[in-house]
Amino acid sequence: MKVNSHHLTSLSKGPASSFDKEGRLRVGRETQGVQGRPQGMCERWCRLRGNLLFIMKKPQQRSALEEVLVLERCHVLESTDNNNGLLIRFDSGEPGVYVECVNSGEVNSWLVALREANSEGLTNRIRYLRTQLMDTAGNAETTVVDAVSPAKLSPLEFSIDCRGLSIGHKEKRPNAVVQVSIINTQTHTITDYCCTEIVESTSDPVFLTGVCISPDHPFTLDTTLKLTAYHIKVKTHDTRSRLGFTCFSIRDLLRTNEPQLSLSLRSADGTSEVGEVKVGRLQMRDMENTEGEDTTSDIPGHKCPLLCDSLHGSMHDRDNSPMMRAVFRSTVCKVYRFQTESSRWMLVREQMSESPLSSSLPKQLLSCYIQEDMRRVQELCDLCDLSPYWDRLRTDVIAHYSQLISTYQETLTELNKLTGSSCSFKASCSKSDRYLEFIPVNLHTQRMQVTCSQRTVWYDVVTVGAPADHYQGFKHGGLQRLLIKPDSDNKSVSSAYCGISYSPEESSRAREVLSSVSQLQPLISGLTEELLQAALEVNSQRLQDILHSLVHRTEQFVHALKDELVRNALLTLHTARPAYHLSNGHAHVTHGNGTGHRLSSANQDGLRPSIRRQESIPQHTEYDEEEWDRVWTNVALSLNCIIAMVDRLQERENRKQEVTSQTQNDVTTTSHNTDPSRAPWQASLAPLPDPSPSPWQEQLVPLVVTLKECVGEAVARARCAMTFVLLQGAAASACHGQALTHRRDAVFSQALCAVVCGFVLKLYSGLEDKVFLLQLCEVGLITQFEGLLSTYSDEVGMLEDMEMGVSDLNRVSFKITEAKSEQPTDLLPTVTGLRGCFCVEVPLPSETYLLLPGELRDGRDLRVHPLLFNIGINQQQSLAERFGDSSLQERINLRSCEMLKSYYKTLRDKLPNLTLPCSQSPLAVEDLLCSLEQSLEMKKRKNVEVLWLAASVCRRLNGVRLTSCKSAKDRTSMSVTLEQCMLLRDEHTLSKEHFNRALDCMRREGCRMENVEKNIRSRKYAFNSIQLKTFPKPYRPPEGTYGKVDT
């Protein structure tokens, strides 16, 4: 057997608490052919750790290591000739080892310890116990149960209490903690699952942190749980000593009829009891019955009803529905029991989940960016001839777009390679990864469920690293600072020639016009085809329905074209044509061959192979400003002709039906009144019936073709005009390379992922709330980002990136659609659109979708109102407040406060009778807004009250809460746990005595500690004691949970 001697030596020198048993033994090797006690036995210090028995050279504890015995495939026997002797005999046939205890009282303890360390002994014992169980309960019941589907099984949750713990010192009481481990009886492995909080200086600890075994964990009724009680000697270094342990199966817990399962804690040697542990299953009980019961626990000092509330069964089916499982995965659950001011227990559950949206949305956005940029390149080529100045800008912009397209295609290819957990989680240590720029850092949903006083309430928050481009870094600042430079250059680029200049607002409107006409043109074309099909079928009712939709879409189209920006841009584009400058005495335009340029197709083709002439754009010197009005008016006139023709056809059809009916009534009379003497030529002079009208489709085809041509011409002109408007902004960006556009796209992608997660979570939880759905339709939702970034060093650039990313969310709309199926891929939100006007479609299962109000089913656009409140809390913020500048933070907070007040005013104006979520707080929303405004005016250092007030207003307004710091790991954990405890105190009367303990529980063993370990593989917050002295006190973690780690 190959071993690492250095590693074994280090293991033998560990603290006493890390060994199962140790002490002095006389050790000797068995001599072949000689029975009994071997000669020459020497006294040694022996230490047992797992299945390793370390034998030291001397009888002192700190002596050097001499030998290591591996206790596998061996038997531990009692000596027949010596009451103090034990014989370790190996199946391999090698000489056995004879050990002799110094004191007779230690023989039994060493015998038990050595046998338990032997894996074969454990296996035999398990087999024996399993046989005993089968004989007792019957084969049918004790057969190993298959793991139950997570969708059908509730999580197993139980509490832990201890009694009579002792550390062997009468005056000292233990600082107790219980480690919960799961024993796999098939593979004989033990896995540490979770741990309680530390309860200091008591022999009868009541642990507030419970145990929640998720249905995702592959447990069965025969799964065995091991509880090990420890005494924490030094919290900072987690130095501990074992007090005792006990084991029980899940079947034992479910079968007991008692409120709690009582188990004896055994010492490490298994010979004595060192206390008692009580395991209480958190089972559902009728609140109405328990309200009046006087059942109290027998816990000293905790005279309150036992588990009067429960989480089992309280979760609505929707919370475990296909749509929740599709969007939120890898859920971590924690459960607590806290005492209220009325001395009752309330149960609190934490859930933390990843989302596949972390990668699916960025990949969709990259595809949108690539398609948009490729379309922009083609549109720029379609601008035809431009003056040399603008043509050079166009060439630069095309090169800029081509570089972006190439970079984004490479990034998309790398993202498509992601598999497994990488698709739903980006660790904080990967935030600077080049190919993961578009994926948000450490994105999770954090949910808290509170069951108390006959009601269950959910509180949700999304945690995400601040949307920022860590790959490009922050040497020159963030987006807010970088965009100021291009703005000044933008004016110089455009005003340097003919005084042409467009503001950023006009560029945004140009994108909206382009998006509108691009979406409406295919819709109009499709409706005209449906109209012709209805005409072919001579279906009058369907014809009217389609015509109504066609009128609606065409009116939207004409309204978009009537924007004054389009008219002005067409005139400006005319001034940028070479013909305009030639007629105004400008220098003669020449190409590379030196020949003069004229507006002829030959020279046009020689300019650039990819740029072609578009005849619909006026190329002559004189530009008729009224021509554009005639273009979009022709669209309306063409539609009027179709409406008139449809009315005429239907009127003719009605008249034909009346004539047919009259003819059938008169046919008999006519046949009897015919004059036989009438001459043939006289009959030929009688009035002939009207010729049969041509089919409806033949009548409508010419008009439909005309409408399509008019729409096509209008789209071509509007597209050229808006492309020219965007050329200026694109030229300014091209001057600074692709980095700025790339940075803004990446930051927006991160912000969008977080908001979509929050929106979906809020929508799913409010599907049955008619008031919430009405607010969503009429006003939209507040999405409040809480930032904890400092205004010093690199974090200034992060905050500037984050501000711009949050601001860009203003132009995102949401739409609820009906899912094709309940497959996970069909239930994921999708994003479409262009920069500045993206639309996120949220699919719902058909059964749920049909229950929505008509406005939502009709595809109404839903808006979010993004806000950002930031307060730096770390040591760098202390430097910024003393020696730096906090004006960025102040401006962001004041602006968001005004936007929040404006939203509330709009909400009250549109929905004056709206009932907002109830709260135990006596303050109305108006009072909270006033307090928020006053708090901002105080300009107090690290005024975290701003964050508390903003969060309170957001929740009262049915908003979406998001919390961020650099990586959503350390400061975010402090903020989220503090907010949860404040909600328990303010809304559910958490007792003052339990507030700090509750905060300690959540930070020490809650979901946020799991998040830290998930990111850096260490259960330590990345703080040090000096840093924490500068933190506000509520944001400081408990002792022993922080230290120097590699982040």
Side-chain angles (χ1 to χ4, degrees):
M1 179 178 183
K2 294 182 178 180
V3 296
N4 187 322
S5 59
H6 178 73
H7 182 59
L8 287 176
T9 303
S10 63
L11 285 175
S12 68
K13 295 180 179 180
S17 59
S18 63
F19 292 91
D20 300 321
K21 187 168 180 59
E22 63 177 346
R24 289 187 182 89
L25 294 174
R26 297 185 185 95
V27 183
R29 281 283 180 179
E30 189 179 25
T31 305
Q32 188 173 7
V34 179
Q35 299 291 332
R37 184 177 186 273
Q39 299 295 323
M41 294 184 63
C42 301
E43 190 170 314
R44 299 284 188 263
W45 188 268
C46 298
R47 315 184 85 180
L48 180 65
R49 184 170 188 171
N51 65 342
L52 299 179
L53 180 64
F54 297 94
I55 303 174
M56 320 307 286
K57 289 184 177 181
K58 297 180 180 180
Q60 286 79 29
Q61 185 180 24
R62 297 184 180 276
S63 59
L65 178 65
E66 181 181 43
E67 185 181 5
V68 180
L69 294 182
V70 181
L71 303 179
E72 293 229 354
R73 293 186 294 279
C74 63
H75 303 277
V76 182
L77 308 174
E78 296 183 68
S79 175
T80 56
D81 58 349
N82 189 341
N83 293 333
N84 293 350
L86 301 173
L87 178 61
I88 304 174
R89 185 161 290 167
F90 298 93
D91 295 342
S92 60
E94 63 178 296
V97 177
Y98 194 94
V99 295
E100 188 177 80
C101 299
V102 178
N103 300 318
S104 59
E106 294 184 359
V107 176
N108 287 334
S109 61
W110 272 107
L111 178 63
V112 171
L114 292 172
R115 283 180 173 177
E116 285 190 351
N118 179 16
S119 60
E120 294 297 319
L122 285 175
T123 303
N124 294 333
R125 186 180 178 188
I126 291 170
R127 288 198 191 103
Y128 171 75
L129 292 175
R130 185 175 295 170
T131 303
Q132 292 293 100
L133 284 172
M134 293 180 68
D135 292 341
T136 304
N139 295 335
E141 291 186 13
T142 56
T143 303
V144 177
V145 181
D146 293 334
V148 184
S149 170
K152 299 179 181 179
L153 187 65
S154 297
L156 177 66
E157 297 161 342
F158 57 88
S159 61
I160 300 175
D161 302 330
C162 290
R163 303 284 186 279
L165 297 183
S166 174
I167 56 176
H169 196 288
K170 293 183 179 180
E171 297 181 358
K172 291 185 178 180
R173 295 182 178 181
N175 300 324
V177 64
V178 174
Q179 175 74 51
V180 181
S181 306
I182 297 180
I183 301 176
N184 189 322
T185 56
Q186 296 179 352
T187 61
H188 309 296
T189 58
I190 300 179
T191 305
D192 290 342
Y193 188 75
C194 64
C195 193
T196 66
E197 80 278 12
I198 301 172
V199 180
E200 298 183 15
S201 303
T202 177
S203 298
D204 303 321
V206 177
F207 298 104
L208 304 183
T209 303
V211 178
C212 177
I213 301 181
S214 169
D216 297 330
H217 195 280
F219 66 87
T220 68
L221 295 180
D222 291 330
T223 299
T224 302
L225 301 179
K226 179 181 179 182
L227 306 182
T228 308
Y230 291 95
H231 164 57
I232 302 299
K233 298 178 179 178
V234 183
K235 288 196 293 185
T236 54
H237 301 293
D238 196 23
T239 304
R240 58 177 65 186
S241 61
R242 181 185 298 185
L243 299 177
F245 72 94
T246 188
C247 298
F248 67 96
S249 69
I250 293 178
R251 191 187 302 276
D252 297 335
L253 181 61
L254 299 181
R255 276 187 172 184
T256 181
N257 295 323
E258 299 298 325
Q260 292 178 308
L261 177 66
S262 297
L263 302 165
S264 296
L265 283 173
R266 294 185 299 163
S267 60
D269 56 16
T271 59
S272 58
E273 294 185 5
V274 295
E276 183 183 17
V277 62
K278 291 192 174 184
V279 180
R281 184 186 174 199
L282 304 182
Q283 58 187 357
M284 183 169 61
R285 303 175 70 179
D286 190 353
M287 280 293 301
E288 294 182 1
N289 295 335
T290 57
E291 284 291 341
E293 290 179 0
D294 194 26
T295 304
T296 57
S297 67
D298 56 353
I299 304 168
H302 294 274
K303 298 297 182 180
C304 55
L306 281 171
L307 304 175
C308 58
D309 310 311
S310 175
L311 298 176
H312 278 285
S314 64
M315 294 177 62
H316 194 278
D317 290 340
R318 183 179 63 247
D319 297 314
N320 198 30
S321 64
M323 56 187 181
M324 288 290 284
R325 294 199 303 271
V327 181
F328 305 110
R329 301 175 183 173
S330 303
T331 301
V332 176
C333 300
K334 298 290 181 178
V335 64
Y336 315 93
R337 51 175 179 168
F338 299 134
Q339 195 174 346
T340 66
E341 292 180 351
S342 58
S343 296
R344 297 185 64 82
W345 290 110
M346 64 175 166
L347 297 188
V348 178
R349 183 187 221 176
E350 267 190 314
Q351 284 186 354
M352 183 183 70
S353 304
E354 301 172 359
S355 177
L357 298 179
S358 291
S359 62
S360 67
L361 288 179
K363 287 191 284 190
Q364 294 175 47
L365 273 176
L366 281 167
S367 297
C368 291
Y369 290 146
I370 292 170
Q371 294 172 10
E372 178 185 356
D373 291 345
M374 293 177 70
R375 192 160 48 245
R376 290 284 179 268
V377 170
Q378 188 57 50
E379 289 168 353
L380 287 170
C381 294
D382 291 343
L383 281 178
C384 312
D385 287 341
L386 294 176
S387 63
Y389 176 81
W390 290 105
D391 188 60
R392 178 173 55 80
L393 288 184
R394 173 169 59 181
T395 303
D396 294 341
V397 170
I398 290 176
H400 168 74
Y401 281 137
S402 299
Q403 191 175 5
L404 275 178
I405 292 169
S406 176
T407 303
Y408 287 175
Q409 286 175 336
E410 183 181 359
T411 302
L412 183 58
T413 301
E414 293 298 321
L415 291 184
N416 285 328
K417 296 178 182 178
L418 296 179
T419 57
S421 60
S422 301
C423 294
S424 55
F425 171 65
K426 173 183 172 182
S428 62
C429 55
S430 302
K431 56 180 171 283
S432 299
D433 192 297
R434 173 188 173 188
Y435 295 114
L436 301 181
E437 280 180 285
F438 288 78
I439 296 180
V441 177
N442 194 18
L443 173 63
H444 287 85
T445 58
Q446 177 96 9
R447 311 192 73 194
M448 180 175 71
Q449 183 194 37
V450 185
T451 304
C452 184
S453 302
Q454 291 184 309
R455 68 185 183 119
T456 298
V457 187
W458 286 96
Y459 299 97
D460 303 330
V461 62
V462 176
T463 61
V464 62
D469 194 337
H470 294 273
Y471 172 70
Q472 293 192 31
F474 310 97
K475 182 177 180 180
H476 303 290
L479 278 171
Q480 190 63 42
R481 199 184 322 172
L482 294 172
L483 287 171
I484 296 175
K485 300 175 183 177
D487 184 60
S488 59
D489 294 338
N490 190 9
K491 295 179 181 178
S492 63
V493 165
S494 57
S495 60
Y497 202 75
C498 301
I500 300 173
S501 177
Y502 293 105
S503 66
E505 290 76 16
E506 288 174 322
S507 296
S508 297
R509 280 167 51 201
R511 291 191 184 92
E512 292 176 359
V513 172
L514 279 174
S515 177
S516 297
V517 298
S518 298
Q519 293 174 5
L520 291 171
Q521 185 183 18
L523 290 176
I524 292 173
S525 178
L527 287 171
T528 56
E529 294 299 327
E530 292 182 25
L531 189 75
L532 292 178
Q533 183 62 32
L536 179 64
E537 299 170 358
V538 195
N539 188 332
S540 178
Q541 182 59 44
R542 185 163 176 261
L543 196 68
Q544 282 292 342
D545 294 341
I546 296 173
L547 182 62
H548 177 74
S549 299
L550 179 62
V551 170
H552 174 66
R553 294 299 184 184
T554 308
E555 287 177 350
Q556 288 181 322
F557 181 79
V558 172
H559 178 74
L561 297 181
K562 290 170 67 176
D563 195 309
E564 193 67 24
L565 177 63
V566 183
R567 178 202 296 270
N568 295 337
L570 281 170
L571 177 59
T572 307
L573 176 60
H574 174 71
T575 63
R577 299 290 185 193
Y580 176 83
H581 297 287
L582 287 172
S583 65
N584 285 276
H586 284 260
H588 193 61
V589 181
T590 60
H591 294 289
N593 56 11
T595 57
H597 174 73
R598 295 181 181 274
L599 290 178
S600 63
S601 59
N603 288 340
Q604 174 80 20
D605 295 338
L607 178 62
R608 187 183 292 107
S610 60
I611 299 178
R612 67 175 187 272
R613 177 169 181 151
Q614 187 164 330
E615 298 298 340
S616 61
I617 306 301
Q619 301 290 324
H620 47 273
T621 303
E622 297 298 329
Y623 177 68
D624 186 358
E625 295 187 19
E626 296 181 357
E627 184 175 359
W628 171 241
D629 292 336
R630 289 193 292 271
V631 170
W632 63 259
T633 302
N634 286 341
V635 176
L637 292 176
S638 300
L639 178 65
N640 290 336
C641 291
I642 292 176
I643 296 172
M645 177 57 70
V646 171
D647 292 341
R648 191 181 310 163
L649 291 173
Q650 290 188 329
E651 183 181 353
R652 185 182 300 173
E653 180 65 19
N654 294 336
R655 188 169 60 252
K656 180 180 178 181
Q657 291 177 357
E658 293 176 1
V659 170
T660 302
S661 177
Q662 182 66 30
T663 302
Q664 291 175 351
N665 293 334
D666 296 344
V667 65
T668 305
T669 304
T670 305
S671 62
H672 287 293
N673 294 337
T674 301
D675 187 0
S677 62
R678 196 173 184 184
W681 64 272
Q682 289 176 323
S684 65
L685 293 177
L688 296 173
D690 291 338
S692 299
S694 60
W696 287 12
Q697 189 183 48
E698 294 181 6
Q699 298 286 336
L700 287 174
V701 164
L703 301 179
V704 166
V705 171
T706 302
L707 175 62
K708 286 184 175 180
E709 290 176 350
C710 292
V711 169
E713 182 181 4
V715 168
R717 289 174 180 264
R719 184 173 288 148
C720 283
M722 297 300 95
T723 300
F724 185 73
V725 173
L726 296 176
L727 175 60
Q728 171 195 265
S733 298
C735 291
H736 295 78
Q738 65 163 348
L740 189 60
T741 305
H742 191 156
R743 187 185 197 102
R744 190 166 187 175
D745 289 345
V747 171
F748 172 77
S749 173
Q750 297 176 30
L752 181 67
C753 291
V755 165
V756 172
C757 277
F759 181 90
V760 169
L761 196 59
K762 192 70 179 178
L763 176 65
Y764 288 175
S765 62
L767 284 172
E768 297 176 0
D769 187 347
K770 295 182 179 179
V771 174
F772 164 74
L773 295 177
L774 178 63
Q775 177 185 353
L776 179 62
C777 282
E778 298 298 328
V779 189
L781 288 185
I782 284 287
T783 55
Q784 186 240 326
F785 283 81
E786 175 183 305
L788 300 165
L789 298 171
S790 67
T791 54
Y792 187 82
S793 189
D794 283 354
E795 291 197 4
V796 178
M798 296 178 204
L799 184 57
E800 291 172 343
D801 274 0
M802 186 177 183
E803 179 189 11
M804 185 56 61
V806 172
S807 177
D808 285 345
L809 293 171
N810 275 302
R811 299 188 179 277
V812 176
S813 63
F814 288 79
K815 187 178 295 184
I816 300 175
T817 60
E818 185 176 3
K820 298 177 182 178
S821 70
E822 292 193 5
Q823 293 297 319
T825 53
D826 292 332
L827 292 173
L828 289 177
T830 57
V831 59
T832 56
L834 307 172
R835 288 181 179 90
C837 48
F838 282 105
C839 178
V840 179
E841 294 186 358
V842 181
L844 296 179
S846 300
E847 183 179 351
T848 305
Y849 179 79
L850 295 176
L851 299 177
L852 293 175
E855 297 87 346
L856 293 176
R857 294 200 308 272
D858 292 340
R860 186 164 183 175
D861 286 343
L862 309 174
R863 291 286 175 179
V864 294
H865 303 269
L867 306 173
L868 170 60
F869 287 91
N870 185 86
I871 296 292
I873 63 171
N874 64 358
Q875 75 284 1
Q876 289 187 327
Q877 186 61 29
S878 300
L879 295 175
E881 290 171 344
R882 292 181 180 274
F883 311 110
D885 181 16
S886 300
S887 59
L888 173 63
Q889 176 176 281
E890 294 172 4
R891 177 178 57 79
I892 290 174
N893 291 341
L894 288 173
R895 180 172 174 268
S896 295
C897 182
E898 291 302 318
M899 293 172 66
L900 190 58
K901 289 164 58 180
S902 175
Y903 172 85
Y904 181 67
K905 183 178 183 303
T906 304
L907 180 65
R908 280 306 179 200
D909 291 343
K910 288 192 174 183
L911 303 171
N913 299 321
L914 184 73
T915 303
L916 294 172
C918 59
S919 172
Q920 299 297 321
S921 172
L923 296 177
V925 176
E926 294 86 348
D927 300 328
L928 291 173
L929 286 171
C930 183
S931 298
L932 176 61
E933 197 170 12
Q934 292 174 357
S935 186
L936 288 172
E937 292 174 354
M938 289 172 59
K939 296 186 178 181
K940 178 182 175 182
R941 290 180 178 176
K942 296 185 181 178
N943 190 4
V944 291
E945 185 181 359
V946 170
L947 302 180
W948 302 345
L949 289 169
S952 298
V953 175
C954 177
R955 292 196 183 277
R956 296 281 288 275
L957 296 180
N958 271 325
V960 177
R961 286 272 298 111
L962 304 101
T963 301
S964 296
C965 63
K966 182 178 181 180
S967 57
K969 178 172 57 66
D970 304 307
R971 282 170 282 177
T972 295
S973 296
M974 299 301 104
S975 175
V976 168
T977 50
L978 177 62
E979 181 180 2
Q980 290 180 166
C981 289
M982 291 174 69
L983 286 168
L984 293 175
R985 180 193 63 192
D986 299 338
E987 302 294 337
H988 303 279
T989 65
L990 174 68
S991 65
K992 295 179 180 179
E993 294 78 9
H994 271 216
F995 182 87
N996 288 330
R997 283 195 63 189
L999 196 58
D1000 183 273
C1001 288
M1002 291 182 177
R1003 289 175 175 174
R1004 188 180 294 276
E1005 295 297 336
C1007 288
R1008 300 315 303 179
M1009 182 58 79
E1010 301 295 331
N1011 181 272
V1012 171
E1013 185 178 23
K1014 188 176 183 179
N1015 277 275
I1016 61 174
R1017 301 290 184 264
S1018 173
R1019 297 179 70 84
K1020 294 283 186 181
Y1021 298 111
F1023 302 131
N1024 60 52
S1025 55
I1026 298 177
Q1027 286 177 326
L1028 291 177
K1029 289 180 180 179
T1030 65
F1031 276 49
K1033 287 185 179 180
Y1035 291 86
R1036 299 176 186 177
E1039 188 179 1
T1041 62
Y1042 57 87
K1044 184 177 181 181
V1045 292
D1046 184 12
T1047 60

